[in-house]
Amino acid sequence: MIIAASAPLTVVAGGTTSNFAVTSVLGIPLSFVVLGVILALFAVGFSALSSKVQTAGAFYSYVARGLGRVPGVAAAWVAIVAYNAMQIGIYGMFGFATADLFASVFSITVPWWACALGGWVIVGVLGVNAVDLSAKVLGILVALEFLVVFVYDFIAIGTAPEGISAAGFAPGELFTGGVGAVLAFSVAAFMGFESGAIYTDEVRDPRNTVRRATFGAVIVIAVFYAFSAWAMVMGEGASKVVENSATNGPGVVFAMLGSALPVWAVQLGQVLFVTSLLAALVSFHNVVSRYLRSLAREGALPSFLATSRGVGRAPVAGSLTQSALAMVVLLIFAVAGAGAEDPIMFPVLTLFTWLTNVGALGLVALMALTSFAALVFLRRNPDGHGVFTRVVAPLIAGVALGILVVTIIIQFPVLVGLEPGNVLNWLLPLIALLPGVIGALWAMWLRGTSPERFARIGHGSAAEDAEGVGL
């Protein structure tokens, strides 16, 4: 589920080429390594928390237990908006890619919004079923994605028009004036790696499964994307990769595949590009529905959202709610796109670009906050953890991620491709962070009007208060 959210083929074909094109920085491969180190440090404190706070609230529960219930609910509201933004934004790219597939392979013209609604139906059906059904479907798709990207990597390395070198990994090729934009782009490839904790209620061994999945995801994502980005530099040539990415976008990958494989194999790669997006949609949908259930179960949202069904305890109410919200946003963008100057690219330039960057900003902010929550919680509850786990790793991760949050806000006009004076340059980041303020106010109101509900926040279904947190 975690790797599916990362969407390997989407990141390599779409995200990496966009990173080269927009930033004109060669050090994209090194950026994945740098972020991998930062997020591995984050995972140290995150995993220590997950072994002690075994509820499906993840960010929300961890912040509540570390920093207090009011910050915890603030984190929950940011998480709900961020994950929804990521999930719904991906429908824009999914609709575009599916419509393009129908046009190029079958010569059939289908509106992007119709394709997006088709994906919406599939996601909705999988969402109201137990996680094992989604996992089986996504497992097959992700395995095929990895295969396609590995084939591309080795064809690109074998082509290497300028020879094999370490281009892309030199510090001077990353740490330039555009490093902030590069890291802001690359961090989106990791989004979802922390979502393993959301499935605490549905795994056999919550204490160890979450920790292993989180560290495994960080390592796999960092190494795989660094290697693939370097392969792209080799395949296009260090002097041409930026120019070619700006000109051809995802076509860089499929053109390379087409140079060595038959047409049907390239078309299969295009199909898997679409299923890669579908896999990410399902994964983020599952995260949102479980957040809603966790909050409702603890009294922070209406109780009907806690409704689950079946042996696998699928969060049916949360799933239906997320689907309804996605439908509303899709309809709004479908109507708005009807009169766009470029209706074909409209869902990519607006729905996908705007919302996924909003989601990435919110999730990075949550990771920074969670790092400081781990610092506080583990200081109160050391239980054999060393200084590195309790202090050093969470502190470094929190500071680094905080700097990254500021960088994303500053670089937001670059990330979304808007002119400096556009109102959306500050409105979109506000959509990511303002829910935290609203959530905090809601929690304070709840504390005064319903102390019993407030007491359950951050403690799963129980109302215990072992740490004496009363904020």
Side-chain angles (χ1 to χ4, degrees), residues 6-33 35 93 149 152-153 156 167-169 174 181-190 220-237 240-254 273 276-277 352 415:
S6 174
L9 186 54
T10 299
V11 169
V12 174
T16 302
T17 54
S18 295
N19 206 341
F20 279 120
V22 172
T23 66
S24 300
V25 173
L26 191 61
I28 310 301
L30 181 59
S31 72
F32 289 115
V33 177
L35 289 169
M93 180 64 81
V149 176
Y152 162 76
D153 289 345
F169 285 113
L174 173 63
V182 171
L183 293 175
F185 257 110
S186 295
V187 76
F190 291 85
V220 168
I221 291 171
V223 173
F224 179 71
Y225 290 146
F227 178 77
S228 296
W230 172 76
M232 187 174 291
V233 174
M234 296 299 99
E236 303 301 311
K240 294 290 185 179
V241 66
V242 170
E243 178 184 347
N244 292 350
S245 294
T247 302
N248 301 317
V252 165
V253 170
F254 296 112
F273 182 54
S276 170
L277 292 160
F352 174 74
L415 300 178

Side-chain angles (χ1 to χ4, degrees), residues 247-280:
T247 302
N248 301 317
V252 165
V253 170
F254 296 112
M256 183 64 69
L257 291 172
S259 68
L261 299 176
V263 173
W264 66 264
V266 178
Q267 291 176 339
L268 177 60
Q270 292 176 297
V271 171
L272 289 171
F273 182 54
V274 171
T275 59
S276 170
L277 292 160
L278 180 64

Side-chain angles (χ1 to χ4, degrees), residues 57 78 88 120 162 191 263 271 291 314 357 368 377 409:
V78 171
I88 299 171
W120 178 86
E162 298 177 12
M191 292 300 96
V263 173
V271 171
Y291 251 107
N357 277 294
F377 182 89
I409 294 173

Side-chain angles (χ1 to χ4, degrees), residues 413-432:
V414 176
L415 300 178
V416 297
L418 297 173
E419 294 297 324
N422 196 306
V423 66
L424 291 175
N425 288 328
W426 60 265
L427 182 59
L428 290 173
L430 195 63
I431 291 173

Side-chain angles (χ1 to χ4, degrees), residues 285-384:
H285 172 89
N286 286 342
V287 171
V288 173
S289 61
R290 282 155 180 80
Y291 251 107
L292 293 174
R293 178 178 64 183
S294 181
L295 282 166
R297 188 172 56 191
E298 299 183 18
L301 285 178
S303 59
F304 79 89
L305 289 171
T307 304
S308 300
R309 74 173 183 88
V311 177
R313 298 165 67 186
V316 60
S319 178
L320 293 173
T321 300
Q322 201 284 325
S323 292
L325 179 60
M327 172 63 79
V328 171
V329 177
L330 280 175
L331 291 176
I332 291 172
F333 276 85
V335 172
E341 293 182 7
D342 187 354
I344 295 177
M345 288 300 296
F346 175 81
V348 177
L349 299 176
T350 57
L351 179 58
F352 174 74
T353 301
W354 295 354
L355 268 65
T356 54
N357 277 294
V358 166
L361 172 59
L363 292 177
V364 174
L366 285 171
M367 286 189 281
L369 189 62
T370 302
S371 293
F372 293 114
L375 191 68
V376 175
F377 182 89
L378 295 174
R379 186 187 64 192
R380 291 198 306 259
N381 304 272
D383 291 344

Side-chain angles (χ1 to χ4, degrees), residues 42 45-46 49 58-79 361-377 394-395 397-403 405 433 436-437 440:
F42 164 80
F46 182 81
L49 271 175
F59 284 141
Y60 146 67
S61 298
Y62 301 160
V63 172
R65 297 290 285 269
L67 302 179
R69 293 180 176 86
V70 171
V73 176
W77 284 50
V78 171
L361 172 59
L363 292 177
V364 174
L366 285 171
M367 286 189 281
L369 189 62
T370 302
S371 293
F372 293 114
L375 191 68
V376 175
F377 182 89
L395 180 60
V399 171
L401 290 166
I403 294 172
V405 169
L433 302 178
V437 177

